[in-house]
Amino acid sequence: MYKPHIVILGAGYSGLMTATKLQKLLRRNEADITLVNKHDYHYQTTWLHETAVGSLKPERTMIPIRDIINQDKINFVIDEVTMIDEKNKKVKLLNQELSYDILVVGLGFEAEAITNPNLNENIFPIGNLNNARVLREHLEYNFAKYANEEEKNAARINIVIAGGGFTGIEYAGELADRIPELGSEYDVERTQVRIIIVECESTILPGCKQEFVNYAMNSLESRGVEFIMDAKIVESKQDRVVYEKEGKRVEIPAKTIVWTAGVRGNSLLEKSSIPTVNGKVEVKSDLRVPGYDDVYILGDCALITNPETGRPYPANAETAIASAGIAARNIKAQINKKALLHFRSRKKAIIASLGSSDGVAISLNGRQHFGWRATIMKKLSLNRYLLQLGGIHLLMKRGRFNFFHM
């Protein structure tokens, strides 16, 4: 009996969730499933800002993929994707080549700055676990060097954050909590350290309610975070960053430039013949690529239009997880020649942590929550994902239950 080969690229939120859904939906004789990932672990990007400042150990965010998947149903391949040949229905990896009948692409994002030669040598993105580790080590190294310098170089303890969206705000909040500990360890006064957010818009957290924005700014400013609005970072060098505001170029001495601004889909898609916009693919409502009914694009690589607003759904973990559920059901329907579902994302809570015991949130009923209540909502959201992914066993093993940590 012929069995279609389903190949899933990437074990991020969308790829791994698609795999776990398919192993429940499909019987062994219905399809062969191969999951390809560069590492043998899955990590939660919503925790990376904590790892990047050193308040959460890297291994705390890592989930071994073999602990999640049913290896009787899924062939797990640890390898790196080098090319997608959608015309011949093949995927080239570093060490082998795979043919597919149905392809799911969930390869994640890349920092927009990598395309700008004036930026890419000296910035620190937080796009993956290794990025977070490097940033943490870089930060601690510069604090140690500063403490031992006879002639102090302020650039070592000036941290510039490019972008005032959710990632930038969450990193700034976690960093503001962490700086006193670093200062104590390396004998650096908190007042000597600068944390500066440079945002190209006139507000942080664009699209959020003003009360939401005001609370976040007040919380961060009370802990020493500075804001430079309506400004664009145009250049980074070894010991300074240059931003442009109202036609003027301004330099800030800084050896740490954290990039949380623009992101784009994976560059492998741009090298294929699939049409892209900044590395993203505008998919149909059933999550397939126009003209390629055997290719599903999910997560940060997908541009999914909300039919009610005409605007793309936000490229966040919630959208990725929701799209994985629809993709898995559509793949089963496609195999069985049934009608496919259309993606409709339900209204989600909006949550931003501002450190270990502060945050802002809007619940499903539109109510706003501030401080420790938002922190609890954030941890409950993370726990809910673990429950969806691996059931009660994974939740008990990896969940965050210390809701009242101050």
Side-chain angles (χ1 to χ4, degrees), residues 36-309:
V36 180
N37 198 57
K38 190 175 180 180
H39 306 289
D40 65 352
Y41 58 84
H42 165 75
Y43 60 87
Q44 293 178 264
T45 56
T46 49
W47 292 7
L48 286 181
H49 63 284
E50 298 180 44
T51 304
V53 304
S55 57
L56 188 69
K57 292 181 179 180
E59 56 268 23
R60 189 70 177 82
T61 73
M62 297 164 61
I63 302 172
I65 291 171
R66 290 188 177 92
D67 288 356
I68 303 300
I69 61 171
N70 180 346
Q71 294 184 74
D72 290 333
K73 287 189 171 184
I74 296 178
N75 175 36
F76 177 40
V77 175
I78 303 172
D79 208 336
E80 184 174 353
V81 183
T82 60
M83 190 176 81
I84 299 170
D85 181 4
E86 69 288 344
K87 290 184 177 178
N88 295 304
K89 302 181 73 169
K90 295 181 184 294
V91 175
K92 293 185 180 180
L93 312 178
L94 278 178
N95 301 300
Q96 61 179 293
E97 184 176 278
L98 299 173
S99 297
Y100 66 83
D101 296 292
I102 296 175
L103 180 67
V104 179
V105 181
L107 289 171
F109 65 84
E110 295 173 352
E112 188 75 59
I114 64 169
T115 63
N116 186 334
N118 294 320
L119 293 174
N120 60 19
E121 291 298 322
N122 303 291
I123 64 166
F124 292 86
I126 322 179
N128 57 49
L129 199 54
N130 286 334
N131 288 160
R133 283 193 185 107
V134 169
L135 177 53
R136 184 200 70 230
E137 291 168 3
H138 170 83
L139 195 66
E140 292 176 356
Y141 170 81
N142 276 289
F143 266 73
K145 288 288 287 185
Y146 181 85
N148 286 288
E149 287 176 337
E150 289 188 13
E151 187 175 336
K152 303 297 185 186
N153 180 3
R156 292 196 181 279
I157 54 172
N158 288 350
I159 301 107
V160 175
I161 302 169
F166 280 85
T167 303
I169 294 307
E170 293 196 317
Y171 178 77
E174 199 69 28
L175 183 62
D177 281 359
R178 174 77 170 133
I179 290 299
E181 296 177 23
L182 283 173
S184 176
E185 183 175 351
Y186 296 104
D187 197 23
V188 176
E189 292 290 332
R190 171 65 185 90
T191 54
Q192 296 174 298
V193 182
R194 293 181 69 190
I195 305 172
I196 307 155
I197 294 177
V198 180
E199 168 56 47
C200 63
E201 302 285 343
S202 59
T203 179
I204 62 169
L205 302 172
C208 291
K209 292 183 178 181
Q210 195 59 44
E211 299 93 330
F212 196 95
V213 172
N214 291 344
Y215 182 92
M217 289 191 73
N218 290 337
S219 171
L220 294 174
E221 284 178 331
S222 71
R223 286 175 281 158
V225 178
E226 304 170 39
F227 292 90
I228 300 173
M229 313 305 294
D230 295 308
K232 182 180 180 181
I233 292 180
V234 294
E235 189 176 359
S236 64
K237 299 183 179 180
Q238 189 175 11
D239 60 354
R240 63 190 182 275
V241 62
V242 182
Y243 69 86
E244 195 171 83
K245 181 179 173 71
E246 297 176 348
K248 296 180 181 179
R249 291 167 69 93
V250 182
E251 290 189 356
I252 303 174
K255 285 184 173 289
T256 307
I257 300 99
V258 184
W259 192 266
T260 69
V263 297
R264 59 195 293 116
N266 196 284
S267 57
L268 285 171
L269 284 166
E270 293 182 296
K271 296 173 185 175
S272 73
S273 60
I274 296 173
T276 61
V277 180
N278 290 330
K280 293 178 180 288
V281 177
E282 189 167 357
V283 296
K284 298 185 293 185
S285 61
D286 59 17
L287 305 178
R288 295 185 297 177
V289 178
Y292 296 93
D293 285 347
D294 48 15
V295 179
Y296 292 78
I297 308 286
L298 308 177
D300 295 298
C301 294
L303 198 62
I304 311 170
T305 301
N306 184 336
E308 296 178 5
T309 65

